[in-house]
């Protein structure tokens, strides 16, 4: 690699990771001033774990991110499969546009439209403690009666599903369908082909979509600001309100913990995907070897 390319690569990595490294270093700062080094200390980690509001916000954010990523993978996989395999059916362009719209539309517009939707649902359901109504009304009032975890989950899922659908659609379009065709020629049901052959082959795209959705949900502030209510403060909201009155080393300590958790999770997921891919490659090589013999 030429020296100039190495230099630009190093500058790029420095630009990306120097702020993260400085954040981790200053999380061990003794001084309360974030940018003034006062010596090594772990006291801000203790302060962080004693901050009930911070831990509650972090727990809510991780819970919503997990649920949103999981549901987004399910819905996004279905949408991507339809777009990749069902051809140019009537309404294909409309369906594709609606699927990817949250990804290209400003989050302010998405958040405002979903807020108006939930307010309209709450008004139309007529939620009242004196008249709980039928089962459908009670379920609707439980979900949309007050903006909170459920509404944030729905909003994050809507946003993340678009990214998963694009990833799955791209992976399916480049997938060799010979294995699926061979299985169906041997009498395998299409649903079994999908779950036994297609899903394992596109598993890297699903894992990537889940991780991307988890990160987007954990990081999202704009949608959450529209869809949250009293008692549903997420981690980005807590950090934003804290930074506005002056950042504290607790934020650095929390960010360091999140970075470590996400890094460990990504490394483990990558190892599992590589192991599964190597296992599939060995199985295919053994199958081809047995066929040639």
């Amino acid at each position: 690699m030429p020296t100039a390319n190495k230099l630009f690569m190093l500058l790029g990595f420095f630009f990306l990771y120097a702020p993260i490294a400085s954040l981790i270093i200053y999380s061990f700062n003794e001084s309360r001033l974030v940018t003034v080094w006062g010596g090594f200390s772990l006291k801000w980690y203790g302060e962080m774990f004693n901050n009930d509001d911070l831990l509650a916000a972090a727990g809510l954010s991780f819970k919503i991110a997990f649920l949103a990523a999981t549901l987004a993978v399910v819905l996004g996989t279905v949408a991507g499969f339809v777009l990749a395999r069902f051809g140019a059916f009537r309404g294909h362009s409309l369906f594709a546009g609606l699927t990817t719209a949250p990804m290209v539309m400003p989050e302010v517009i998405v958040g405002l439209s979903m807020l108006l939707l939930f307010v309209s649902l709450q008004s139309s359901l007529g939620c009242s403690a004196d008249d709980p109504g039928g089962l459908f009304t009670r379920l609707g009032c439980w979900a949309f009666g007050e903006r909170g975890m459920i509404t944030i989950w729905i909003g994050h899922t809507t946003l993340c599903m678009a990214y998963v659908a694009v990833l799955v659609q791209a992976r399916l379009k480049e997938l060799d369908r010979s294995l699926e065709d061979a299985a169906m020629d041997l009498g395998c049901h299409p649903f079994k082909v999908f779950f036994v052959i297609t899903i394992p082959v596109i598993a890297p795209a699903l894992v990537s979509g889940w991780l991307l959705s988890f990160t987007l949900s954990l990081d999202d502030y704009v949608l959450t600001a529209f869809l949250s209510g009293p008692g549903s403060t997420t981690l980005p909201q807590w950090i934003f309100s804290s930074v506005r009155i002056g950042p504290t080393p607790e934020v650095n300590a929390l960010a360091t913990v999140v970075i470590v958790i996400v890094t460990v999770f990504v490394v483990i997921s990558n190892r599992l995907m590589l192991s599964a891919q190597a296992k599939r490659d060995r199985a295919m090589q053994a199958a081809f070897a047995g066929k040639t013999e």
Side-chain angles (χ1 to χ4, degrees):
M1 181 182 295
T3 305
N5 291 345
K6 292 182 179 180
L7 179 61
F8 283 121
M9 183 182 68
L10 292 175
L11 288 175
F13 279 120
F14 179 80
F15 177 79
L16 291 173
Y17 294 108
I20 298 177
S22 63
L23 182 147
I24 295 174
I25 292 172
Y26 278 100
S27 69
F28 300 100
N29 188 11
E30 172 71 24
S31 173
R32 186 172 184 83
L33 299 176
V34 177
T35 57
V36 177
W37 183 257
F40 182 86
S41 175
L42 294 174
K43 74 174 185 178
W44 297 113
Y45 287 89
E47 294 288 336
M48 178 194 68
F49 287 112
N50 290 327
N51 190 329
D52 294 334
D53 293 335
L54 174 58
L55 295 179
L60 180 62
S61 289
F62 275 99
K63 186 185 300 182
I64 293 174
F66 178 83
L67 294 174
T70 303
L71 185 57
V73 167
V74 175
L75 298 179
T77 301
V78 174
F81 187 82
V82 170
L83 291 173
R85 293 294 176 82
F86 279 67
F89 57 88
R90 179 178 297 180
H92 180 275
S93 299
L94 177 62
F95 181 75
L98 292 175
T99 301
T100 58
M103 184 173 60
V104 298
M105 193 176 296
E107 282 194 53
V108 174
I109 304 299
V110 178
L112 179 60
S113 62
M114 298 197 74
L115 172 62
L116 295 176
L117 171 64
F118 293 139
V119 171
S120 300
L121 286 174
Q122 180 181 358
S123 177
S124 61
L125 289 172
C127 300
S128 173
D130 299 330
D131 184 17
L135 177 61
F136 178 77
T137 302
R138 290 198 298 270
L139 289 176
C141 292
W142 172 75
F144 311 115
E146 292 184 1
R147 294 189 300 276
M149 176 181 169
I150 301 297
T151 54
I152 299 173
W153 176 32
I154 295 173
H156 288 191
T157 302
T158 303
L159 174 65
C160 298
M161 183 187 69
Y163 291 89
V164 177
V166 171
L167 288 173
V168 172
Q169 182 184 5
R171 182 68 183 94
L172 286 171
K173 283 187 174 181
E174 66 180 17
L175 179 65
D176 185 7
R177 299 187 61 178
S178 59
L179 291 176
E180 297 173 319
D181 294 337
M184 286 190 285
D185 289 340
L186 294 173
C188 189
H189 194 275
F191 283 101
K192 187 174 182 180
V193 172
F194 178 76
F195 287 104
V196 176
I197 296 178
T198 307
I199 290 296
V201 172
I202 65 172
L206 300 181
V207 174
S208 300
W210 194 94
L211 292 174
L212 178 61
S213 299
F214 184 87
T215 303
L216 289 172
S217 176
L218 189 65
D219 181 63
D220 187 86
Y221 176 81
V222 178
L223 269 180
T224 307
F226 281 99
L227 303 178
S228 63
S232 58
T233 302
T234 61
L235 186 58
Q237 289 178 303
W238 190 94
I239 293 177
F240 184 75
S241 61
S242 175
V243 170
R244 288 182 64 186
I245 61 177
T248 64
E250 285 180 275
V251 176
N252 291 347
L254 174 65
T256 302
V257 172
V258 172
I259 290 171
V260 171
I261 292 174
V262 172
T263 301
V264 170
F265 191 78
V266 170
V267 170
I268 293 175
S269 301
N270 187 48
R271 289 292 185 90
L272 292 176
M273 284 193 300
L274 291 176
S275 177
Q277 183 64 39
K279 185 178 180 180
R280 286 195 298 269
D281 292 341
R282 289 194 299 267
M284 292 181 65
Q285 290 176 0
F288 283 121
K291 185 178 179 180
T292 56
E293 291 178 358

